[in-house]
Amino acid sequence: MSDIQSLYEKCTQCPRKCSVNRNKTTGFCGENSELRIAFAGLHFGEEPLVTVHGGSGTIFFTGCTLRCAFCQNYQISQKGYGDVVDAELFSEICLKLQEKGAENINLVTGSHHIPKIAEFIRYAKSCGVKIPFCWNSSGYETVESLELLKGLVTIWLPDLKTLDETLSEKLFAARDYPSSAAAALSWMIENNPMQIVSVEKDGVVKEKMMQGVIIRHLFLPGKFEQTADVLQWLKENADGKACISLMSQYTPVPFTEDANALSVREKALSCIENRLVNKTEDEDLQDLIEAYDFDYLFYQELSDDTSWLPDFTKAQPFSNKLAVPVWHCR
């Protein structure tokens, strides 16, 4: 058995440390030791430092270490949609994204497959991938696993969903999310000081992140106090050392699943107000971030447009203005 496969034999890759033999069965993440991908394409809906001119070359992995009740990507994170890829196919996808003009390779929700992804990144680099690799995650990961990505990934897009343990347990099935994410984000910040350069294309100059951390927080409707707590932590631990991205795009998802699964999901969602963010909340959030005066912060404008919600069963899961497909499973 290879060193990588041995890390799946009694899996402790994520903070759950469920110790399942993923060479024979699936863990809490829903995945065994085979790496699966659902979609790859140029994405223009990420932060400007990441999309820049050519878009971010996103690769969406199947499975997840969390059970976010409101997950917009639930088809792949929770329902197992995706196909197995090996290092060669992964490299081909990365090279195709690079050829299409991607500014980076954006690895979305891969926390349950860090050893294998690290191996695949090395192989892709040896095959000619030269653009930076970006780690796009929930933040629910261990420092020990993140160490495997050191020197391979230079751009980090973690979430800091909440610091409320009760909310974490109900919404994500992970009471330890706050402490785990705080430790993971601290490691990312310490090991990846910001490097931002200016790049010009067709007379237009934009900023581009080559190394650093962008910490995302999604405001949950009706949970202003929880967001204030997150912003306080970010002010104390990340301001001046990482970029902050406060998002107001919470959108109720029209889940397609059986009655039992819907019942479980609705029970979890009952701890928040499952609706769009309203104008009053938007104004309060803007007042809050003005009071904190972060060095580098993105704030998403309020919108009632829900057309961006993805459907990964389609070759083009997103609206045409958001993404350009490059690869799709099946």
Side-chain angles (χ1 to χ4, degrees):
M1 182 182 295
S2 70
D3 290 342
I4 290 174
Q5 291 304 114
S6 68
L7 294 175
Y8 288 84
E9 189 172 29
K10 190 177 181 182
C11 189
T12 57
Q13 291 182 43
C14 84
R16 293 188 190 277
K17 300 186 183 298
C18 61
S19 299
V20 168
N21 185 349
R22 288 173 58 194
N23 292 312
K24 295 182 177 180
T25 186
T26 58
F28 180 93
C29 58
E31 296 299 298
N32 56 26
S33 61
E34 292 185 304
L35 186 65
R36 295 197 293 158
I37 292 173
F39 170 82
L42 300 177
H43 201 294
F44 296 91
E46 308 283 41
E47 285 76 6
L49 288 176
V50 178
T51 57
V52 201
H53 295 289
S56 185
T58 49
I59 297 177
F60 287 81
F61 295 101
T62 305
C64 186
T65 59
L66 293 182
R67 284 288 185 274
C68 297
F70 52 80
C71 183
Q72 69 191 47
N73 297 341
Y74 78 103
Q75 293 165 315
I76 58 176
S77 64
Q78 299 170 15
K79 299 303 178 183
Y81 193 78
D83 281 349
V84 174
V85 300
D86 58 13
E88 185 175 351
L89 180 53
F90 176 83
S91 179
E92 289 175 7
I93 292 170
C94 292
L95 287 168
K96 189 173 292 186
L97 289 167
Q98 179 173 271
E99 178 186 335
K100 295 289 185 181
E103 304 284 355
N104 45 66
I105 303 297
N106 187 340
L107 307 171
V108 184
T109 316
S111 304
H112 51 300
H113 266 305
I114 289 179
K116 188 154 286 187
I117 292 173
E119 178 189 39
F120 284 15
I121 292 174
R122 288 191 185 89
Y123 183 77
K125 286 176 175 285
S126 73
C127 292
V129 177
K130 301 186 183 305
I131 55 178
F133 278 85
C134 171
W135 191 252
N136 188 334
S137 76
S138 68
Y140 189 60
E141 37 218 348
T142 68
V143 168
E144 292 80 9
S145 288
L146 292 175
E147 284 282 349
L148 300 177
L149 296 170
K150 197 171 184 178
L152 298 174
V153 170
T154 58
I155 304 170
W156 302 78
L157 297 180
D159 294 336
L160 184 53
K161 296 177 182 292
T162 185
L163 293 173
D164 185 319
E165 290 184 348
T166 301
L167 195 63
S168 296
E169 187 172 26
K170 291 178 178 178
L171 279 179
F172 315 137
R175 186 174 182 82
D176 64 334
Y177 174 85
S179 58
S180 297
L185 267 60
S186 296
W187 180 93
M188 294 175 191
I189 293 169
E190 180 181 352
N191 287 280
N192 298 274
M194 286 197 293
Q195 294 179 13
I196 298 173
V197 300
S198 295
V199 291
E200 183 270 338
K201 182 178 180 181
D202 299 329
V204 178
V205 178
K206 293 184 177 182
E207 289 187 317
K208 176 177 181 176
M209 178 172 278
M210 301 301 294
Q211 177 177 285
V213 184
I214 301 175
I215 302 171
R216 294 167 161 173
H217 173 69
L218 175 67
F219 170 70
L220 301 174
K223 295 296 180 181
F224 185 83
E225 183 178 337
Q226 282 76 5
T227 286
D229 289 343
V230 167
L231 291 180
Q232 180 64 40
W233 188 94
L234 291 172
K235 185 66 180 179
E236 294 172 359
N237 296 278
D239 192 28
K241 297 179 284 188
C243 301
I244 311 303
S245 181
L246 180 57
M247 302 182 292
S248 60
Q249 68 181 24
Y250 182 91
T251 305
V253 177
F255 296 102
T256 303
E257 49 193 354
D258 63 44
N260 182 61
L262 278 174
S263 176
V264 171
R265 194 179 294 279
E266 288 168 2
K267 182 178 180 181
L269 286 170
S270 67
C271 68
I272 61 171
E273 298 175 24
N274 188 29
R275 56 167 173 80
L276 295 173
V277 176
N278 63 42
K279 186 176 180 181
T280 299
E281 289 170 324
D282 176 60
E283 292 172 349
D284 289 344
L285 288 172
Q286 293 193 52
D287 289 342
L288 187 62
I289 58 179
E290 184 176 343
Y292 275 115
D293 189 29
F294 285 97
D295 279 359
Y296 212 132
L297 179 139
F298 298 104
Y299 182 68
Q300 188 178 47
E301 293 184 3
L302 189 65
S303 172
D304 59 3
D305 178 22
T306 63
S307 64
W308 58 269
L309 284 172
D311 181 355
F312 286 96
T313 65
K314 298 178 179 178
Q316 169 54 300
F318 303 92
S319 65
N320 290 333
K321 66 179 180 180
L322 273 183
V324 177
V326 168
W327 183 91
H328 186 265
C329 67
R330 303 172 192 173

